């Protein structure tokens, strides 16, 4: 089956899953019929499914087949948003797939998770964040400045650096999802802003959150960040935040 794409439904390969199920989209096939999509080529194998669907038999089938498929193995699974994980070794991929099958009933209550991390013991500090930690400053092009508004008690995005993670993901728009205030993501990620501002000490932490990507896709993304206290020219106080997508010390699920 190398170099092919196919669906596994009810524990077996289904040559015509849409006709057999009466469903008309991949999302419906995954969520309502428990379909598991497999695509493999000499460049690797991708397996895509919905965690909450009734697909244990199909995932066990894929797990048995997986060692015969070409690495690396990319798992794309939906749980309040899409997770993506790539594993190079077949035995590690089989173990991770079995672990995910067991966790099919996991329910994530939040869509944003933050964990403060000791950068001196975390071996995968990003290059940009690591340099900012060392210099205790960052080029303004690579950070986002947030000002503290005393009347509301909230932080508002004042400036978006053109090379920042926010700009690369959403452009320079001040109305993109991460730049807006008042939703749960803002409430959770801005808690550390106040701590950095009042203590006048930088805070290094990791974030895992669901971001809207495209018109109908929610994707889990992890990033490291350094929050530095910042004074604006007009005397207002706030923070400068540099972020970098990559490895985080948060495992979901």
């Amino acid at each position: 089956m190398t170099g092919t794409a196919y669906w596994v439904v009810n524990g077996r390969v289904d040559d015509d899953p849409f006709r057999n199920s009466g469903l008309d989209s991949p999302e419906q096939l995954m969520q309502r019929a428990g379909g598991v999509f497999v695509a493999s080529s000499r460049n690797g194998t991708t397996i895509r499914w919905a965690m909450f669907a009734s697909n244990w038999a199909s995932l066990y089938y894929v797990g048995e087949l997986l060692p015969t498929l070409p690495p690396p193995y990319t798992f794309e699974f939906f749980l309040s948003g899409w997770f993506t994980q790539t594993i190079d070794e077949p035995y590690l991929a089989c173990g991770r797939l079995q672990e995910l099958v067991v966790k099919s009933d996991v329910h994530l209550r939040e869509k944003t998770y933050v964990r403060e991390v000791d950068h001196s013991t975390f071996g995968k500090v990003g290059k940009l964040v690591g340099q900012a930690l060392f210099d205790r400053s960052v080029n303004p092009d690579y950070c986002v400045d947030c000002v503290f508004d005393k009347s509301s008690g909230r932080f508002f995005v004042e400036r978006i650096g053109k090379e920042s993670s926010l700009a690369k993901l959403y452009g320079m728009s001040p109305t993109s999802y991460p730049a807006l205030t008042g939703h749960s993501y803002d409430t959770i990620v801005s808690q550390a802003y106040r701590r950095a501002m009042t203590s006048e000490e930088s805070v290094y932490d990791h974030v895992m959150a669901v971001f809207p990507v495209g018109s109908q896709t929610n994707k889990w993304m992890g990033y490291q960040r350094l929050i530095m206290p910042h004074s604006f020219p007009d005397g207002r106080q706030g923070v400068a935040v540099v972020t970098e997508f990559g490895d985080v010390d948060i495992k979901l699920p």
Side-chain angles (χ1 to χ4, degrees):
M1 294 181 179
T2 301
T4 60
Y6 50 93
W7 286 90
V8 180
V9 183
N10 296 323
R12 59 182 177 83
V13 174
D14 192 327
D15 294 328
D16 197 352
F18 296 103
R19 180 178 179 182
N20 293 334
S21 66
L23 302 173
D24 57 10
S25 73
E27 290 74 19
Q28 289 181 349
L29 195 60
M30 280 186 284
Q31 296 176 13
R32 295 171 58 182
V36 179
F37 180 72
V38 181
S40 62
S41 71
R42 61 185 178 182
N43 295 321
T45 299
T46 298
I47 302 167
R48 188 176 175 91
W49 75 97
M51 282 279 284
F52 57 84
S54 300
N55 51 22
W56 280 33
S58 296
L59 289 172
Y60 278 124
Y61 175 90
V62 173
E64 293 292 328
L65 189 67
L66 190 145
T68 69
L69 301 175
Y73 307 95
T74 299
F75 298 147
E76 297 179 351
F77 51 95
F78 187 88
L79 180 62
S80 300
W82 285 102
F83 284 91
T84 300
Q85 180 180 21
T86 299
I87 300 175
D88 293 326
E89 298 297 330
Y91 73 95
L92 292 176
C94 287
R96 177 57 173 157
L97 184 59
Q98 291 175 3
E99 183 182 34
L100 289 170
V101 170
V102 173
K103 294 183 176 182
S104 292
D105 60 349
V106 168
H107 176 67
L108 299 179
R109 300 182 62 182
E110 304 288 347
K111 291 189 177 182
T112 304
Y113 295 84
V114 178
R115 180 177 181 181
E116 192 163 350
V117 177
D118 183 351
H119 66 84
S120 66
T121 62
F122 185 72
K124 300 179 181 179
V125 176
K127 182 178 180 180
L128 177 62
V129 171
Q131 191 62 49
L133 276 164
F134 180 80
D135 294 340
R136 297 188 178 183
S137 64
V138 67
N139 184 323
D141 286 345
Y142 291 89
C143 69
V144 174
D145 294 339
C146 300
V147 64
F148 179 67
D149 178 63
K150 293 182 179 179
S151 62
S152 65
R154 290 179 173 176
F155 289 84
F156 292 88
V157 171
E158 179 81 359
R159 187 194 62 84
I160 300 174
K162 63 182 180 179
E163 298 295 333
S164 66
S165 299
L166 179 59
K168 291 179 179 179
L169 189 60
Y170 290 105
M172 303 293 287
S173 172
T175 60
S176 64
Y177 171 77
L180 295 175
T181 60
H183 48 56
S184 60
Y185 169 80
D186 165 63
T187 300
I188 294 171
V189 300
S190 63
Q191 289 176 7
Y193 295 178
R194 186 184 295 271
R195 188 163 70 255
M197 184 183 71
T198 56
S199 69
E200 298 186 351
E201 295 288 340
S202 296
V203 174
Y204 170 74
D205 61 14
H206 294 179
V207 179
M208 179 71 78
V210 173
F211 290 93
V213 180
S215 59
Q216 296 181 341
T217 302
N218 290 329
K219 184 176 181 180
W220 284 95
M221 303 178 74
Y223 62 89
Q224 304 177 25
R225 67 176 179 173
L226 182 66
I227 307 164
M228 297 169 285
H230 181 68
S231 297
F232 291 86
D234 59 4
R236 293 177 299 167
Q237 297 299 306
V239 293
V241 185
V242 56
T243 63
E244 189 168 3
F245 290 108
D247 293 315
V248 296
D249 193 16
I250 302 173
K251 186 176 180 180
L252 301 173

